[in-house]
Amino acid sequence: MEAEIEFVARALYTAEDNAQVWEREPDVVKDEFRLYAQVALELLAEHRKQKTLGTETCIFPYAA
C-alpha cells in the first residue's frame, strides 16, 4: 500500500501547475501529498466496494 500511496502522491504533485521536481521537495510537502493520496485511495476503495455491493446478478435461462 505504501508504494501505491507514493505513486499517487507523485501523480498528484505532478498535476499541480507549479510542480517542481519531487525529489527536491521538502518532506513537509511530500507528506502533504502522501496524505492526499492516502485519502484518494481510501475513497476509491470505498467507491469500488459500494459499486460491488450495488450490483445484482441476473441469471437468464439458456434456450437454444
Side-chain angles (χ1 to χ4, degrees), residues 19-37:
Q20 303 296 316
V21 178
W22 175 259
E23 288 78 15
R24 293 184 188 161
E25 288 294 341
D27 287 336
V28 173
V29 174
K30 290 179 182 180
D31 289 341
E32 181 180 359
F33 279 92
R34 288 176 183 129
L35 180 61
Y36 296 151

Side-chain angles (χ1 to χ4, degrees), residues 44-59:
L44 178 61
E46 183 179 317
H47 174 73
R48 287 180 174 169
K49 182 178 162 184
Q50 289 175 357
K51 188 175 177 182
T52 304
L53 293 175
T55 60
E56 295 181 16
T57 303
C58 296
I59 300 174

